[in-house]
Amino acid sequence: MLPPLLSSGFSPSNASWIAPLFFGVAHLHHFYIQRNSREWNSLVMGLALQWGYTTLFGAYASLVFIRTGSLWAVVVIHSFCNYMGLPQLQFLNSRSVLYEYRWIIGAAYSIGIVLFVVGFDSKVFFPDVSVLPALLAMNH
């Protein structure tokens, strides 16, 4: 999805946000698989969470690919993401041993989210010019 978006004039940032919408949709088969084993509300909430999460990750993976031109970098971050899974929120449960640390853990999650958003198109983390158009012989 990225090469057609970039070649049609989308900026690297915009292409990074559009392409993963399809990546998120590609994970919607979980809805079909679980349709008979979960309540409707739970199924829809899980579907929304998974679509949002995979779309957000897809945006990050797209930007990494656009900025580095490395498929290996995308494979590594995808493997790491699959290994780590979704963020665990048990610390919010008053019966959890981590409950007394909920403010510290919540602050760490919040800081991570802010850094992700601020650094998404940061020139500090990624080259100023995308290497992918050059690899694809595009004029950008």
Side-chain angles (χ1 to χ4, degrees):
M1 289 302 307
L2 289 172
L5 290 171
L6 290 170
S7 65
S8 64
F10 284 94
S11 71
S13 281
N14 287 339
S16 294
W17 284 109
I18 294 169
L21 295 174
F22 299 97
F23 181 72
V25 168
H27 287 79
L28 295 182
H29 68 280
H30 295 283
F31 180 84
Y32 180 77
I33 292 170
Q34 298 175 359
R35 72 188 185 286
N36 294 324
S37 63
R38 293 173 60 186
E39 291 183 27
W40 182 254
N41 289 345
S42 172
L43 189 60
V44 170
M45 288 295 288
L47 177 69
L49 178 67
Q50 185 166 27
W51 183 78
Y53 185 74
T54 56
T55 299
L56 185 61
F57 171 77
Y60 176 67
S62 295
L63 188 64
V64 167
F65 184 62
I66 287 171
R67 293 296 185 198
T68 67
S70 171
L71 187 57
W72 281 112
V74 175
V75 169
V76 168
I77 63 172
H78 193 278
S79 298
F80 180 75
C81 183
N82 285 349
Y83 175 75
M84 296 302 293
L86 289 172
Q88 300 299 310
L89 301 177
Q90 289 90 349
F91 69 92
L92 296 172
N93 184 337
S94 61
R95 290 178 271 152
S96 170
V97 296
L98 297 174
Y99 185 72
E100 64 181 283
Y101 303 104
R102 68 189 178 281
W103 295 109
I104 294 169
I105 297 170
Y109 275 146
S110 299
I111 290 168
I113 291 166
V114 167
L115 288 175
F116 177 82
V117 171
V118 169
F120 186 80
D121 201 19
S122 172
K123 305 310 183 239
V124 173
F125 299 116
F126 299 108
D128 193 28
V129 176
S130 172
V131 298
L132 189 60
L135 293 173
L136 298 172
M138 294 179 191
N139 297 328
H140 283 112

Short mmCIF file of all heavy atoms in Angstrom, two decimals, residues 91-138:
data_model
loop_
_atom_site.label_atom_id
_atom_site.label_comp_id
_atom_site.label_asym_id
_atom_site.label_seq_id
_atom_site.Cartn_x
_atom_site.Cartn_y
_atom_site.Cartn_z
N PHE A 91 -3.07 -3.81 36.60
CA PHE A 91 -2.69 -2.93 37.70
C PHE A 91 -3.82 -2.00 38.12
O PHE A 91 -3.79 -1.43 39.20
CB PHE A 91 -1.43 -2.12 37.35
CG PHE A 91 -1.64 -1.08 36.28
CD1 PHE A 91 -1.98 0.22 36.62
CD2 PHE A 91 -1.48 -1.40 34.94
CE1 PHE A 91 -2.17 1.18 35.64
CE2 PHE A 91 -1.66 -0.45 33.95
CZ PHE A 91 -2.01 0.84 34.30
N LEU A 92 -4.85 -1.88 37.29
CA LEU A 92 -6.01 -1.05 37.64
C LEU A 92 -7.02 -1.79 38.51
O LEU A 92 -7.91 -1.18 39.09
CB LEU A 92 -6.70 -0.56 36.36
CG LEU A 92 -5.86 0.36 35.48
CD1 LEU A 92 -6.57 0.62 34.16
CD2 LEU A 92 -5.55 1.66 36.20
N ASN A 93 -6.87 -3.10 38.62
CA ASN A 93 -7.76 -3.92 39.44
C ASN A 93 -7.30 -3.84 40.89
O ASN A 93 -6.14 -4.13 41.21
CB ASN A 93 -7.72 -5.37 38.94
CG ASN A 93 -8.68 -6.27 39.67
OD1 ASN A 93 -9.10 -6.01 40.79
ND2 ASN A 93 -9.03 -7.37 39.03
N SER A 94 -8.21 -3.49 41.80
CA SER A 94 -7.85 -3.32 43.21
C SER A 94 -7.36 -4.60 43.86
O SER A 94 -6.71 -4.56 44.91
CB SER A 94 -9.03 -2.75 43.99
OG SER A 94 -10.12 -3.64 43.94
N ARG A 95 -7.62 -5.75 43.26
CA ARG A 95 -7.14 -7.03 43.81
C ARG A 95 -5.74 -7.39 43.29
O ARG A 95 -5.16 -8.37 43.74
CB ARG A 95 -8.13 -8.14 43.49
CG ARG A 95 -9.43 -7.99 44.29
CD ARG A 95 -10.42 -9.05 43.93
NE ARG A 95 -11.19 -8.52 42.81
CZ ARG A 95 -11.77 -9.23 41.88
NH1 ARG A 95 -11.72 -10.52 41.90
NH2 ARG A 95 -12.44 -8.66 40.90
N SER A 96 -5.20 -6.62 42.38
CA SER A 96 -3.89 -6.89 41.82
C SER A 96 -2.78 -6.47 42.78
O SER A 96 -2.91 -5.47 43.50
CB SER A 96 -3.71 -6.14 40.50
OG SER A 96 -2.38 -6.20 40.06
N VAL A 97 -1.68 -7.22 42.78
CA VAL A 97 -0.53 -6.84 43.62
C VAL A 97 0.12 -5.55 43.11
O VAL A 97 0.85 -4.91 43.86
CB VAL A 97 0.51 -7.98 43.69
CG1 VAL A 97 -0.05 -9.21 44.37
CG2 VAL A 97 1.04 -8.33 42.31
N LEU A 98 -0.17 -5.18 41.89
CA LEU A 98 0.38 -3.96 41.31
C LEU A 98 -0.50 -2.73 41.53
O LEU A 98 -0.12 -1.62 41.16
CB LEU A 98 0.62 -4.15 39.81
CG LEU A 98 1.63 -5.22 39.43
CD1 LEU A 98 1.65 -5.40 37.92
CD2 LEU A 98 3.00 -4.87 39.95
N TYR A 99 -1.65 -2.93 42.16
CA TYR A 99 -2.61 -1.84 42.31
C TYR A 99 -2.01 -0.65 43.05
O TYR A 99 -2.27 0.49 42.68
CB TYR A 99 -3.86 -2.34 43.05
CG TYR A 99 -4.95 -1.31 43.15
CD1 TYR A 99 -5.68 -0.95 42.03
CD2 TYR A 99 -5.24 -0.69 44.36
CE1 TYR A 99 -6.69 -0.01 42.11
CE2 TYR A 99 -6.25 0.25 44.46
CZ TYR A 99 -6.97 0.59 43.33
OH TYR A 99 -7.97 1.53 43.41
N GLU A 100 -1.19 -0.90 44.07
CA GLU A 100 -0.62 0.22 44.82
C GLU A 100 0.37 1.03 43.98
O GLU A 100 0.71 2.15 44.34
CB GLU A 100 0.04 -0.26 46.11
CG GLU A 100 1.23 -1.16 45.91
CD GLU A 100 1.83 -1.63 47.22
OE1 GLU A 100 2.53 -0.82 47.85
OE2 GLU A 100 1.56 -2.78 47.60
N TYR A 101 0.82 0.47 42.86
CA TYR A 101 1.73 1.17 41.95
C TYR A 101 1.02 1.72 40.72
O TYR A 101 1.66 2.10 39.74
CB TYR A 101 2.85 0.22 41.51
CG TYR A 101 3.63 -0.36 42.66
CD1 TYR A 101 3.42 -1.68 43.05
CD2 TYR A 101 4.55 0.40 43.35
CE1 TYR A 101 4.12 -2.23 44.11
CE2 TYR A 101 5.26 -0.14 44.41
CZ TYR A 101 5.03 -1.45 44.77
OH TYR A 101 5.73 -1.98 45.82
N ARG A 102 -0.30 1.76 40.76
CA ARG A 102 -1.07 2.12 39.57
C ARG A 102 -0.73 3.50 39.05
O ARG A 102 -0.73 3.72 37.83
CB ARG A 102 -2.57 1.98 39.84
CG ARG A 102 -3.15 2.98 40.81
CD ARG A 102 -4.59 2.64 41.19
NE ARG A 102 -5.14 3.55 42.16
CZ ARG A 102 -4.91 3.50 43.46
NH1 ARG A 102 -4.13 2.57 43.96
NH2 ARG A 102 -5.46 4.39 44.27
N TRP A 103 -0.42 4.46 39.92
CA TRP A 103 -0.10 5.81 39.45
C TRP A 103 1.25 5.83 38.74
O TRP A 103 1.40 6.51 37.71
CB TRP A 103 -0.10 6.80 40.62
CG TRP A 103 -1.46 6.94 41.20
CD1 TRP A 103 -1.89 6.49 42.41
CD2 TRP A 103 -2.61 7.52 40.57
NE1 TRP A 103 -3.23 6.76 42.58
CE2 TRP A 103 -3.69 7.40 41.47
CE3 TRP A 103 -2.83 8.14 39.34
CZ2 TRP A 103 -4.96 7.86 41.16
CZ3 TRP A 103 -4.09 8.60 39.04
CH2 TRP A 103 -5.14 8.46 39.96
N ILE A 104 2.20 5.08 39.23
CA ILE A 104 3.51 5.02 38.59
C ILE A 104 3.41 4.32 37.23
O ILE A 104 3.93 4.81 36.22
CB ILE A 104 4.53 4.29 39.50
CG1 ILE A 104 4.76 5.10 40.78
CG2 ILE A 104 5.85 4.05 38.77
CD1 ILE A 104 5.52 4.35 41.85
N ILE A 105 2.72 3.18 37.21
CA ILE A 105 2.56 2.43 35.96
C ILE A 105 1.74 3.24 34.97
O ILE A 105 2.07 3.33 33.79
CB ILE A 105 1.94 1.06 36.22
CG1 ILE A 105 2.87 0.21 37.11
CG2 ILE A 105 1.65 0.34 34.91
CD1 ILE A 105 2.24 -1.07 37.63
N GLY A 106 0.66 3.86 35.45
CA GLY A 106 -0.17 4.70 34.58
C GLY A 106 0.61 5.87 34.02
O GLY A 106 0.46 6.22 32.84
N ALA A 107 1.45 6.48 34.84
CA ALA A 107 2.28 7.60 34.37
C ALA A 107 3.26 7.11 33.31
O ALA A 107 3.48 7.79 32.29
CB ALA A 107 3.03 8.24 35.54
N ALA A 108 3.86 5.93 33.53
CA ALA A 108 4.79 5.38 32.54
C ALA A 108 4.08 5.13 31.21
O ALA A 108 4.61 5.45 30.14
CB ALA A 108 5.43 4.10 33.06
N TYR A 109 2.87 4.55 31.27
CA TYR A 109 2.09 4.35 30.04
C TYR A 109 1.79 5.69 29.37
O TYR A 109 1.93 5.83 28.15
CB TYR A 109 0.76 3.64 30.35
CG TYR A 109 0.83 2.14 30.40
CD1 TYR A 109 0.03 1.43 31.27
CD2 TYR A 109 1.67 1.40 29.56
CE1 TYR A 109 0.06 0.04 31.34
CE2 TYR A 109 1.71 0.02 29.61
CZ TYR A 109 0.90 -0.65 30.50
OH TYR A 109 0.93 -2.01 30.54
N SER A 110 1.38 6.67 30.16
CA SER A 110 1.04 7.98 29.60
C SER A 110 2.24 8.65 28.96
O SER A 110 2.13 9.22 27.86
CB SER A 110 0.46 8.89 30.70
OG SER A 110 -0.71 8.33 31.22
N ILE A 111 3.38 8.58 29.61
CA ILE A 111 4.60 9.15 29.04
C ILE A 111 4.95 8.45 27.73
O ILE A 111 5.31 9.10 26.74
CB ILE A 111 5.77 9.08 30.06
CG1 ILE A 111 5.51 10.06 31.21
CG2 ILE A 111 7.11 9.37 29.38
CD1 ILE A 111 6.44 9.87 32.39
N GLY A 112 4.82 7.15 27.71
CA GLY A 112 5.10 6.39 26.49
C GLY A 112 4.19 6.79 25.35
O GLY A 112 4.63 6.93 24.20
N ILE A 113 2.92 6.99 25.65
CA ILE A 113 1.96 7.40 24.62
C ILE A 113 2.29 8.79 24.09
O ILE A 113 2.30 9.02 22.87
CB ILE A 113 0.52 7.34 25.16
CG1 ILE A 113 0.10 5.88 25.39
CG2 ILE A 113 -0.46 8.04 24.22
CD1 ILE A 113 -1.15 5.71 26.20
N VAL A 114 2.60 9.72 24.99
CA VAL A 114 2.96 11.08 24.57
C VAL A 114 4.23 11.06 23.72
O VAL A 114 4.29 11.71 22.67
CB VAL A 114 3.11 12.00 25.79
CG1 VAL A 114 3.78 13.32 25.42
CG2 VAL A 114 1.76 12.25 26.45
N LEU A 115 5.24 10.32 24.15
CA LEU A 115 6.48 10.24 23.37
C LEU A 115 6.24 9.62 21.99
O LEU A 115 6.85 10.03 21.01
CB LEU A 115 7.54 9.45 24.13
CG LEU A 115 8.14 10.15 25.34
CD1 LEU A 115 9.08 9.21 26.09
CD2 LEU A 115 8.85 11.43 24.93
N PHE A 116 5.35 8.64 21.93
CA PHE A 116 5.03 8.03 20.63
C PHE A 116 4.40 9.07 19.71
O PHE A 116 4.79 9.21 18.56
CB PHE A 116 4.07 6.85 20.81
CG PHE A 116 3.65 6.24 19.51
CD1 PHE A 116 4.45 5.32 18.86
CD2 PHE A 116 2.43 6.59 18.92
CE1 PHE A 116 4.07 4.77 17.65
CE2 PHE A 116 2.04 6.04 17.72
CZ PHE A 116 2.86 5.13 17.08
N VAL A 117 3.42 9.80 20.21
CA VAL A 117 2.72 10.80 19.39
C VAL A 117 3.66 11.91 18.97
O VAL A 117 3.72 12.29 17.80
CB VAL A 117 1.49 11.35 20.14
CG1 VAL A 117 0.89 12.53 19.41
CG2 VAL A 117 0.45 10.26 20.35
N VAL A 118 4.43 12.44 19.92
CA VAL A 118 5.35 13.55 19.61
C VAL A 118 6.47 13.08 18.68
O VAL A 118 6.85 13.79 17.75
CB VAL A 118 5.93 14.13 20.92
CG1 VAL A 118 7.06 15.10 20.64
CG2 VAL A 118 4.83 14.82 21.71
N GLY A 119 6.97 11.89 18.93
CA GLY A 119 8.10 11.41 18.14
C GLY A 119 7.73 10.73 16.86
O GLY A 119 8.61 10.33 16.10
N PHE A 120 6.43 10.60 16.57
CA PHE A 120 6.01 9.85 15.39
C PHE A 120 6.66 10.35 14.12
O PHE A 120 7.16 9.59 13.31
CB PHE A 120 4.48 9.87 15.24
CG PHE A 120 4.00 8.98 14.13
CD1 PHE A 120 3.89 7.62 14.33
CD2 PHE A 120 3.69 9.50 12.89
CE1 PHE A 120 3.47 6.79 13.31
CE2 PHE A 120 3.27 8.67 11.86
CZ PHE A 120 3.16 7.32 12.07
N ASP A 121 6.66 11.63 13.93
CA ASP A 121 7.26 12.20 12.71
C ASP A 121 8.50 13.01 13.06
O ASP A 121 8.82 13.98 12.40
CB ASP A 121 6.23 13.05 11.97
CG ASP A 121 6.60 13.23 10.50
OD1 ASP A 121 7.40 12.44 9.99
OD2 ASP A 121 6.08 14.18 9.89
N SER A 122 9.18 12.58 14.11
CA SER A 122 10.34 13.30 14.60
C SER A 122 11.56 13.11 13.71
O SER A 122 11.85 12.01 13.26
CB SER A 122 10.67 12.84 16.02
OG SER A 122 11.90 13.38 16.44
N LYS A 123 12.27 14.17 13.48
CA LYS A 123 13.52 14.09 12.72
C LYS A 123 14.64 13.52 13.59
O LYS A 123 15.67 13.13 13.10
CB LYS A 123 13.93 15.47 12.20
CG LYS A 123 12.86 16.19 11.38
CD LYS A 123 12.27 15.34 10.27
CE LYS A 123 11.28 16.12 9.46
NZ LYS A 123 9.96 15.61 9.42
N VAL A 124 14.41 13.46 14.91
CA VAL A 124 15.40 12.89 15.82
C VAL A 124 15.48 11.38 15.64
O VAL A 124 16.56 10.79 15.62
CB VAL A 124 15.06 13.23 17.28
CG1 VAL A 124 15.99 12.52 18.26
CG2 VAL A 124 15.10 14.73 17.50
N PHE A 125 14.32 10.73 15.49
CA PHE A 125 14.27 9.27 15.40
C PHE A 125 14.40 8.74 13.98
O PHE A 125 14.80 7.61 13.76
CB PHE A 125 12.97 8.74 16.02
CG PHE A 125 12.83 9.08 17.46
CD1 PHE A 125 11.81 9.89 17.90
CD2 PHE A 125 13.73 8.59 18.39
CE1 PHE A 125 11.67 10.20 19.23
CE2 PHE A 125 13.61 8.90 19.73
CZ PHE A 125 12.58 9.71 20.16
N PHE A 126 14.03 9.54 13.00
CA PHE A 126 14.02 9.10 11.62
C PHE A 126 14.76 10.11 10.76
O PHE A 126 14.79 11.29 11.08
CB PHE A 126 12.58 8.95 11.10
CG PHE A 126 11.78 7.94 11.85
CD1 PHE A 126 10.77 8.36 12.70
CD2 PHE A 126 12.04 6.59 11.72
CE1 PHE A 126 10.03 7.43 13.41
CE2 PHE A 126 11.31 5.65 12.43
CZ PHE A 126 10.30 6.07 13.26
N PRO A 127 15.33 9.66 9.64
CA PRO A 127 16.00 10.61 8.74
C PRO A 127 15.03 11.70 8.27
O PRO A 127 13.83 11.48 8.19
CB PRO A 127 16.43 9.74 7.56
CG PRO A 127 16.42 8.34 8.07
CD PRO A 127 15.38 8.30 9.16
N ASP A 128 15.59 12.86 7.96
CA ASP A 128 14.77 13.98 7.52
C ASP A 128 14.08 13.69 6.20
O ASP A 128 12.97 14.13 5.96
CB ASP A 128 15.65 15.22 7.39
CG ASP A 128 14.84 16.49 7.25
OD1 ASP A 128 13.70 16.53 7.77
OD2 ASP A 128 15.33 17.45 6.62
N VAL A 129 14.71 12.92 5.34
CA VAL A 129 14.15 12.60 4.04
C VAL A 129 13.93 11.10 3.98
O VAL A 129 14.78 10.32 4.36
CB VAL A 129 15.12 13.05 2.91
CG1 VAL A 129 14.58 12.63 1.57
CG2 VAL A 129 15.34 14.54 2.97
N SER A 130 12.78 10.72 3.49
CA SER A 130 12.46 9.30 3.35
C SER A 130 13.39 8.66 2.33
O SER A 130 13.62 9.21 1.26
CB SER A 130 11.01 9.14 2.90
OG SER A 130 10.74 7.80 2.59
N VAL A 131 13.90 7.48 2.67
CA VAL A 131 14.75 6.77 1.73
C VAL A 131 13.94 5.90 0.77
O VAL A 131 14.43 5.50 -0.28
CB VAL A 131 15.80 5.89 2.45
CG1 VAL A 131 16.72 6.74 3.28
CG2 VAL A 131 15.14 4.82 3.29
N LEU A 132 12.69 5.60 1.11
CA LEU A 132 11.89 4.71 0.28
C LEU A 132 11.63 5.25 -1.12
O LEU A 132 11.79 4.52 -2.09
CB LEU A 132 10.57 4.36 0.98
CG LEU A 132 9.75 3.27 0.31
CD1 LEU A 132 10.52 1.97 0.22
CD2 LEU A 132 8.44 3.06 1.05
N PRO A 133 11.24 6.54 -1.27
CA PRO A 133 11.04 7.03 -2.63
C PRO A 133 12.30 6.88 -3.51
O PRO A 133 12.21 6.53 -4.68
CB PRO A 133 10.66 8.49 -2.45
CG PRO A 133 10.04 8.52 -1.10
CD PRO A 133 10.84 7.53 -0.28
N ALA A 134 13.46 7.09 -2.92
CA ALA A 134 14.70 6.93 -3.68
C ALA A 134 14.90 5.47 -4.07
O ALA A 134 15.34 5.18 -5.19
CB ALA A 134 15.89 7.43 -2.87
N LEU A 135 14.56 4.56 -3.16
CA LEU A 135 14.68 3.15 -3.47
C LEU A 135 13.72 2.74 -4.57
O LEU A 135 13.99 1.81 -5.33
CB LEU A 135 14.43 2.30 -2.22
CG LEU A 135 15.48 2.40 -1.11
CD1 LEU A 135 15.01 1.63 0.12
CD2 LEU A 135 16.81 1.87 -1.59
N LEU A 136 12.58 3.39 -4.61
CA LEU A 136 11.56 3.07 -5.61
C LEU A 136 11.67 3.95 -6.85
O LEU A 136 10.81 3.91 -7.72
CB LEU A 136 10.16 3.21 -5.01
CG LEU A 136 9.85 2.28 -3.83
CD1 LEU A 136 8.53 2.65 -3.20
CD2 LEU A 136 9.86 0.83 -4.29
N ALA A 137 12.71 4.79 -6.90
CA ALA A 137 12.96 5.72 -8.01
C ALA A 137 11.80 6.66 -8.23
O ALA A 137 11.36 6.92 -9.35
CB ALA A 137 13.29 4.95 -9.29
N MET A 138 11.29 7.23 -7.11
CA MET A 138 10.21 8.21 -7.19
C MET A 138 10.79 9.62 -7.11
O MET A 138 11.88 9.81 -6.61
CB MET A 138 9.23 8.01 -6.02
CG MET A 138 8.50 6.72 -6.05
SD MET A 138 7.42 6.66 -4.61
CE MET A 138 6.92 4.98 -4.66
#
